[in-house]
Amino acid sequence: MLFRSGNDDFKLWHKGTFSIALRPDGTNSEGTWTFDVTVTDKAGRETKLGTITTLVDTMLPELDENALLVNKATYSYEDANDHTWYKSTSIPFSGKYLETGSGIDHIEYTITQADSSATITGKLGTVVVKDADGKVTGETFSANLGEFTSKMNGTEALYNTVTFVAVDKAGNKSAAKELKIYLDTESPELTCANAATETTNGNKDIIATGTYDDDSSGVKSVTLEVTYTEGDEKKTFNFGTDRKSVV
């Protein structure tokens, strides 16, 4: 405020602050709060400062486990002997978080490679999903994450880890979700004991023998392709790793 007396100016400053503390009481304080603020001086004059709106959100974002996909398939891990193998150093991830409060601000991810203790970190955005009535049903994310490595410790396969944490706009963090990613980037080794060309008189069996080896994910199947030169007839025979056959 400015006061004038004769040729002299006098400035009188009067400043004040106010605060409103919200103390959440369970879920009773969740939601939007609106405050209409009016300042009244001792002379009775009023100034309306307008409306202040704030949102109380103490609920943590929650991962929808059924919507979590790795390489476009449901993530599966039971133990070190029962899990999914991947063959690419870059893999697509997607998922959905349930958030009914302030909304997801971002998703943090941390990658730890199989052959290193160093970590790779980053943030992902989300897309809000609504039902037919316009109600928010969750927020989804999708990203290609890479730099995964393949590493063996003797006969034991080491795994990469990917950890996701969703952070909402109120600062609440979801429980961390860790995924174990086993990577196999090497092809199986196969040797055949047969000669390059085998002949038969039509009565003699041709027996194909050989060995195969894979020290990472293991051999899933062995395929023997046989081509008949007479009539150009072609057939393909598939054999499991524990089967023998005569063609």
Side-chain angles (χ1 to χ4, degrees):
M1 291 180 286
L2 177 64
F3 293 86
R4 185 180 299 279
S5 177
N7 294 323
D8 297 321
D9 289 344
F10 299 92
K11 292 181 178 180
L12 175 63
W13 295 94
H14 183 78
K15 296 181 179 180
T17 60
F18 68 93
S19 63
I20 301 172
L22 296 177
R23 296 180 175 84
D25 179 17
T27 59
N28 295 329
S29 298
E30 294 288 312
T32 301
W33 292 69
T34 301
F35 303 89
D36 295 315
V37 182
T38 300
V39 179
T40 304
D41 64 16
K42 294 180 180 179
R45 293 184 293 270
E46 293 184 351
T47 300
K48 293 185 180 297
L49 298 182
T51 300
I52 299 174
T53 302
T54 187
L55 174 67
V56 176
D57 177 10
T58 63
M59 307 300 289
L60 308 183
E62 182 180 352
L63 178 67
D64 183 351
E65 297 280 353
N66 295 325
L68 181 60
L69 301 179
V70 180
N71 203 30
K72 301 180 180 180
T74 303
Y75 173 73
S76 175
Y77 177 86
E78 295 296 332
D79 53 46
N81 297 314
D82 186 6
H83 57 79
T84 301
W85 282 91
Y86 303 95
K87 62 181 182 180
S88 175
T89 58
S90 178
I91 301 173
F93 293 80
S94 62
K96 179 180 180 181
Y97 278 92
L98 307 178
E99 166 64 23
T100 58
S102 57
I104 301 293
D105 183 71
H106 64 273
I107 296 175
E108 301 171 348
Y109 69 85
T110 302
I111 298 173
T112 302
Q113 295 173 321
D115 59 352
S116 173
S117 60
T119 59
I120 301 170
T121 61
K123 295 181 180 181
L124 304 174
T126 61
V127 176
V128 176
V129 180
K130 298 181 180 180
D131 61 18
D133 298 324
K135 182 180 178 181
V136 176
T137 59
E139 299 190 34
T140 62
F141 69 93
S142 178
N144 244 36
L145 302 180
E147 300 187 48
F148 297 115
T149 57
S150 176
K151 180 71 173 180
M152 298 293 297
N153 181 19
T155 58
E156 178 188 6
L158 303 183
Y159 55 81
N160 305 262
T161 62
V162 182
T163 304
F164 292 105
V165 175
V167 183
D168 68 18
K169 295 175 182 177
N172 301 306
K173 292 188 175 183
S174 69
K177 177 62 177 180
E178 182 183 271
L179 310 179
K180 294 179 173 64
I181 304 298
Y182 287 81
L183 189 67
D184 184 357
T185 58
E186 297 183 1
S187 300
E189 295 181 0
L190 176 66
T191 59
C192 184
N194 294 67
T197 301
E198 295 280 357
T199 59
T200 180
N201 59 8
N203 296 316
K204 174 187 173 183
D205 293 331
I206 296 177
I207 302 175
T209 61
T211 60
Y212 52 82
D213 182 44
D214 187 282
D215 60 2
S216 292
S217 59
V219 175
K220 180 180 180 180
S221 65
V222 177
T223 300
L224 174 63
E225 183 176 282
V226 178
T227 302
Y228 294 97
T229 57
E230 184 177 356
D232 292 329
E233 183 182 2
K234 183 176 181 180
K235 286 187 177 182
T236 300
F237 297 86
N238 295 313
F239 303 102
T241 57
D242 59 347
R243 294 180 59 189
K244 297 180 180 179
S245 185
V246 176
V247 177

